[in-house]
Amino acid sequence: MRPPANPVRTRPGRLVSKHVPLSLLALIAIAPLASADDLFTETTEVPEVLTATRLKQAPAAVPGSMTVLDRGLIEASGARDIPELMRLVPGMMVGYLKGNQSTVNYHGANVTEARRLQVLIDGRSVYRPGLATVDWSDLPIAIEDIERIEVFRGPNTVSYGANALMGVINISTRSPVDSHGTRLRYSQGQNGIRDWYASQNLRLNKGDLRLSLSGQEDDGFDHDQYGRDYRDSRRTTRINLSAVHELDASQTLEWQFGAKEGSKQRPYNYESMFIPGIANGDSDSDIAAKDYFASLRWTLELDPRHSLQLQTYAERWEREEAWSACEASIAFSPQLARLYALSPAYVDDLGYALTHGQPLPPGTSEQEALGLQIVQLLGSGQGTTPVCGDIDFNTRESRFDTELQDTLSLTDDLRLLSGIGYRHDSVDSETYFGGRQSNDILRAFTHLEWNIGKHWILQGGAMYENDRLSGDSLTPRLALNYLITPRHGLRAVYSEAVRSPDMQENNVDWRIRLDNLTPTVNGSRSAYFFATARGPANLQQEIARSREVGYNGAFSEWGLTLDIKAFNDEIHRMISEPLSVGDFRPANDNWIAFRGAEAQVDWRFSGSDRLRLSYAYVDFEASSRLDQRLTARNSGSAGWMHDWGHGWSSALFYYGADSLNLYRFERLDLRIAKRFALDHGTSLLLAGVLQQRLDDEPLTWKENLNDERRLLYFSAGLEF
């Protein structure tokens, strides 16, 4: 699978090299060389990250690639939601199914099924258990509550279990200890943008508590490719309560509670397969969403070398999606249901033939016999009666997770992290599962870090999981880091990861029932639609193997950090098929391979200026065309943040990708802000954000269109 040496033409007039382009070398070359004093001088003030191994480590010692989005960068970006922040992460592909349905993939793969990233909020997974996806537009967290986001770019099943196949996004919220006082914020702008936020901190006996309320609203895209209004607005309201208690000098107790409710518009575009022109019933199938969570974390410092952490949380996702639909009575006939069970493809051919006046399509004798019966029913008028009823696509998913983690320094040079956990997932849906489906997962994990002398670090870890629906798995990782100094390190990493097929892929029992039928069907007020689907129940776990070499360095004299990596990742036994009742054929038949390089630079070149650059070159091959659509060979971002003094600041960001689902994406964002210091410690922040598309193409899909390429919104914030 070696790529050819010659370039390929991806779009008219646009050549993309099949090798790592010179622009990557140019990006690296802009970083000024550090002085010898900086490069070879020990320092104790080395920043630390946590997400890679669950151990606090210097970035140069991490067994993989990390991107950290700090609070200053998050605010300067002007982003309203987390997917937009992911554009700052090299190799992260951000797309949109509709204005209220964003997708985030690392390096790409299927444009509609973003299922291979683990997403954590304060250690709590928001990866939905039944339909196995991350509902990015419905995350129960406000941007204003986020302290930092650590992104581990690469497989990390070793630390976080199955579903961390391609990477981990770990979102950490502000501690109540660090968010004293009152904060208010309101934003409004084009496209129906109306966001608000309010928080209040309370000092408790040996602790702190923060209550935050927030809401978000916008109108999505303006129209589709035919100029029709696009029904994809969204509205969300959230409440979060977070507290930290210092029980004594060695014990800390943290707890959180949150709830979210909102709605997302969805167009209902179903058309009768056999009788064109039948009324559709409702014009929409909107979703009403409600989420709840509660978490508790207890930390015990036994001594400076030994600590324990116990975390337990429970979550619930409710999605109410019900509407009225109409079809011809033939859609509820046993003959059509039997024919569909034999061959969905033949039903498609039959429907096309009937609506286009063509003869009965060829098939097996049983298929043709059933097809003839359906034609006769329609010809006699028995199957042409319009029937309307209520459809229920409601789902309720829940998760309970508890985990005990032990961190022990065996010697000055040897650290061991180990833990065990249990998770119970369940989903309840009459349409998708005919009731309730559940799963239980046991896990045990360990990570060993061995400092061999002054410069070498050998790290190894493994995760064992017992998944009741998918079986056992054991995933390892081995890494060798060479530290020139604590701030400069080279790394070589090999890791394996798995993704368990979700309940919808493997265990679905998809039957669409219409209730309150008018008129009745065979004397009944309820009937099942002919199209059904059942999961194979024998899907295997997807397997990823990753090889990476890289460098991470922090040049303290210049205020510059740099991370570079070259990678070779492969995923086998991929499940790439779309999960649609009309074409439900999931199988472990596909594979994908990614090769390339990434770089990121963060340069604070003066007390008032910060430059941040990211770039990814991804060369890929995939067995399924569906996995070839959301990978840009060249993508990246560039940002310049400047403090002008007297409360004025600005930030200018460029985002670009040469092909997302065959469409180019380029955008320039400008944020200008002014902070006013008022009396008694009160401050007022006024900001405006302008987003300007530099291309004239749809966003990911051809129907995602806006009337203007420009988006403008303003915000006002008060702190006291």
Side-chain angles (χ1 to χ4, degrees):
M1 297 189 294
R2 184 185 302 274
N6 57 307
V8 295
R9 189 176 298 274
T10 58
R11 293 179 62 85
R14 298 179 66 87
L15 289 174
V16 179
S17 170
K18 293 282 281 185
H19 292 302
V20 177
L22 293 177
S23 56
L24 175 58
L25 300 179
L27 179 64
I28 298 168
I30 69 165
L33 295 176
S35 66
D37 288 342
D38 174 68
L39 195 58
F40 296 105
T41 300
E42 293 288 345
T43 175
T44 58
E45 295 183 3
V46 179
E48 293 180 318
V49 293
L50 183 65
T51 300
T53 63
R54 300 181 182 227
L55 289 172
K56 290 183 179 180
Q57 296 176 303
V62 167
S65 304
M66 290 285 300
T67 295
V68 178
L69 308 180
D70 57 72
R71 181 64 217 163
L73 181 62
I74 293 170
E75 183 170 317
S77 72
R80 299 176 55 239
D81 50 33
I82 293 170
E84 287 299 313
L85 289 173
M86 292 301 104
R87 298 190 187 278
L88 295 164
V89 180
M92 204 67 77
M93 309 296 170
V94 180
Y96 285 84
L97 302 181
K98 294 181 176 64
N100 56 35
Q101 289 179 272
S102 52
T103 62
V104 179
N105 284 293
Y106 182 58
H107 287 165
N110 194 323
V111 68
T112 59
E113 310 297 343
R115 301 181 174 213
R116 298 178 177 92
L117 281 176
Q118 180 63 276
V119 181
L120 307 169
I121 300 178
D122 292 326
R124 187 184 76 255
S125 174
V126 292
Y127 188 94
R128 290 172 56 186
L131 306 186
T133 187
V134 176
D135 201 338
W136 291 100
S137 62
D138 267 332
L139 295 181
I141 185 173
I143 287 284
E144 292 82 0
D145 279 339
I146 298 175
E147 178 63 27
R148 63 193 269 128
I149 301 176
E150 293 185 359
V151 182
F152 186 87
R153 303 177 351 252
N156 206 350
T157 296
V158 175
S159 297
Y160 297 99
N163 303 327
L165 188 83
M166 296 292 289
V168 177
I169 299 173
N170 189 9
I171 303 167
S172 298
T173 61
R174 287 182 171 183
S175 170
V177 177
D178 302 323
S179 51
H180 291 164
T182 303
R183 292 186 294 155
L184 305 172
R185 186 170 182 175
Y186 180 76
S187 300
Q188 185 166 334
Q190 292 177 304
N191 203 29
I193 291 175
R194 290 173 293 274
D195 301 342
W196 59 274
Y197 171 84
S199 74
Q200 177 64 55
N201 176 271
L202 298 174
R203 181 67 183 173
L204 304 175
N205 183 26
K206 295 185 178 180
D208 288 87
L209 180 144
R210 183 186 65 243
L211 171 66
S212 63
L213 306 171
S214 60
Q216 194 172 34
E217 187 174 349
D218 62 55
D219 294 339
F221 292 102
D222 293 321
H223 59 87
D224 62 15
Q225 70 272 34
Y226 304 111
R228 300 175 302 198
D229 289 340
Y230 210 39
R231 187 178 177 84
D232 66 336
S233 68
R234 58 172 174 163
R235 179 193 59 79
T236 296
T237 303
R238 318 176 193 93
I239 178 172
N240 289 84
L241 193 60
S242 178
V244 176
H245 303 273
E246 299 289 340
L247 301 181
D248 56 38
S250 62
Q251 297 186 76
T252 303
L253 185 67
E254 303 169 72
W255 58 268
Q256 294 186 21
F257 167 79
K260 184 211 65 82
E261 69 86 23
S263 62
K264 295 187 292 186
Q265 290 185 330
R266 293 285 178 85
Y268 175 59
N269 299 320
Y270 177 80
E271 295 182 3
S272 174
M273 181 179 292
F274 300 99
I275 311 295
I278 286 183
N280 286 333
D282 287 347
S283 61
D284 64 80
S285 54
D286 295 353
I287 297 176
K290 295 180 181 179
D291 295 346
Y292 311 91
F293 74 88
S295 68
L296 183 69
R297 180 188 294 171
W298 172 66
T299 304
L300 172 64
E301 298 289 340
L302 295 170
D303 58 55
R305 291 176 172 269
H306 193 190
S307 66
L308 293 174
Q309 178 179 287
L310 176 66
Q311 175 160 321
T312 299
Y313 65 86
E315 297 174 290
R316 183 173 175 84
W317 297 264
E318 296 183 0
R319 298 295 181 269
E320 297 181 2
E321 187 178 10
W323 69 96
S324 175
C326 300
E327 242 296 6
S329 56
I330 191 68
F332 308 99
S333 68
Q335 295 90 340
L336 186 56
R338 172 60 181 164
L339 181 59
Y340 187 85
L342 290 173
S343 174
Y346 189 86
V347 173
D348 289 340
D349 294 340
L350 177 62
Y352 183 87
L354 291 173
T355 55
H356 290 79
Q358 296 180 1
L360 193 72
T364 66
S365 58
E366 186 175 6
Q367 290 170 356
E368 291 182 0
L370 288 168
L372 182 59
Q373 293 179 40
I374 293 167
V375 171
Q376 292 172 346
L377 285 171
L378 292 172
S380 66
Q382 297 182 50
T384 59
T385 304
V387 177
C388 297
D390 298 327
I391 290 181
D392 174 1
F393 266 66
N394 298 343
T395 60
R396 293 171 177 83
E397 300 170 83
S398 62
R399 167 175 294 143
F400 170 78
D401 190 293
T402 186
E403 180 180 271
L404 178 64
Q405 175 181 302
D406 181 279
T407 305
L408 175 64
S409 294
L410 298 169
T411 69
D412 290 341
D413 299 320
L414 195 64
R415 289 197 296 172
L416 175 67
L417 182 142
S418 55
I420 56 173
Y422 165 75
R423 191 175 87 213
H424 175 77
D425 293 337
S426 67
V427 58
D428 191 343
S429 172
E430 289 297 326
T431 296
Y432 288 109
F433 298 99
R436 184 181 177 88
Q437 180 68 251
S438 64
N439 191 21
D440 295 282
I441 300 170
L442 296 171
R443 61 186 180 273
F445 55 91
T446 186
H447 179 84
L448 184 68
E449 179 192 80
W450 182 20
N451 288 269
I452 308 173
K454 184 177 180 180
H455 295 288
W456 293 96
I457 301 178
L458 180 63
Q459 302 183 68
M463 169 76 76
Y464 167 76
E465 285 191 292
N466 175 266
D467 186 308
R468 181 169 57 82
L469 296 179
S470 301
D472 297 339
S473 64
L474 179 66
T475 51
R477 176 169 61 201
L478 183 65
L480 183 64
N481 293 65
Y482 176 74
L483 298 185
I484 305 170
T485 76
R487 290 181 176 270
H488 299 268
L490 303 172
R491 63 181 180 271
V493 186
Y494 173 79
S495 62
E496 296 182 3
V498 298
R499 183 184 78 86
S500 299
D502 61 77
M503 297 183 205
Q504 185 182 8
E505 291 168 317
N506 209 20
N507 307 97
V508 76
D509 183 8
W510 205 333
R511 294 183 295 168
I512 303 173
R513 188 181 71 194
L514 272 69
D515 296 315
N516 303 316
L517 291 177
T518 306
T520 61
V521 174
N522 298 324
S524 175
R525 294 292 302 269
S526 298
Y528 282 98
F529 191 62
F530 70 89
T532 61
R534 290 187 65 89
N538 61 357
L539 291 174
Q540 297 176 289
Q541 293 175 319
E542 296 179 340
I543 296 177
R545 297 184 178 91
S546 174
R547 303 158 187 88
E548 173 185 328
V549 293
Y551 161 78
N552 182 280
F555 301 88
S556 57
E557 182 178 342
W558 297 90
L560 182 145
T561 61
L562 172 66
D563 187 88
I564 310 167
K565 85 165 184 176
F567 57 88
N568 185 330
D569 299 341
E570 299 175 356
I571 307 176
H572 298 277
R573 301 199 310 219
M574 282 186 72
I575 305 168
S576 300
E577 294 77 11
L579 303 182
S580 167
V581 69
D583 187 21
F584 192 83
R585 293 173 299 190
N588 295 105
D589 292 341
N590 294 296
W591 57 265
I592 193 168
F594 300 105
R595 299 176 181 85
E598 296 173 0
Q600 63 184 20
V601 175
D602 197 329
W603 186 14
R604 302 173 189 263
F605 57 91
S606 77
S608 303
D609 293 278
R610 181 180 180 182
L611 182 68
R612 187 175 179 92
L613 307 171
S614 70
Y615 175 78
Y617 171 77
V618 183
D619 183 38
F620 65 97
E621 298 176 80
S623 60
S624 170
R625 64 177 180 83
L626 298 173
D627 290 319
Q628 301 173 11
R629 304 183 69 87
L630 197 65
T631 298
R633 291 190 184 275
N634 298 278
S635 62
S637 66
W640 171 47
M641 291 149 277
H642 181 73
D643 184 346
W644 298 92
H646 304 289
W648 287 95
S649 63
S650 66
L652 183 65
F653 287 89
Y654 167 83
Y655 306 101
D658 58 5
S659 180
L660 290 171
N661 202 26
L662 306 180
Y663 295 111
R664 182 169 56 94
F665 173 80
E666 288 185 277
R667 198 180 76 201
L668 198 65
D669 290 7
L670 173 64
R671 179 180 182 268
I672 298 177
K674 166 66 173 175
R675 184 177 293 276
F676 299 88
L678 306 179
D679 294 337
H680 308 295
T682 301
S683 66
L684 172 66
L685 179 66
L686 302 179
V689 177
L690 171 66
Q691 295 181 348
Q692 177 66 54
R693 290 287 296 275
L694 304 179
D695 61 82
D696 57 356
E697 303 195 24
L699 188 56
T700 314
W701 290 98
K702 62 183 178 180
E703 60 265 31
N704 293 344
L705 296 165
N706 286 110
D707 294 331
E708 298 182 15
R709 292 190 294 165
R710 183 183 300 110
L711 178 64
L712 181 65
Y713 51 95
F714 299 91
S715 66
L718 194 64
E719 296 184 15
F720 54 92

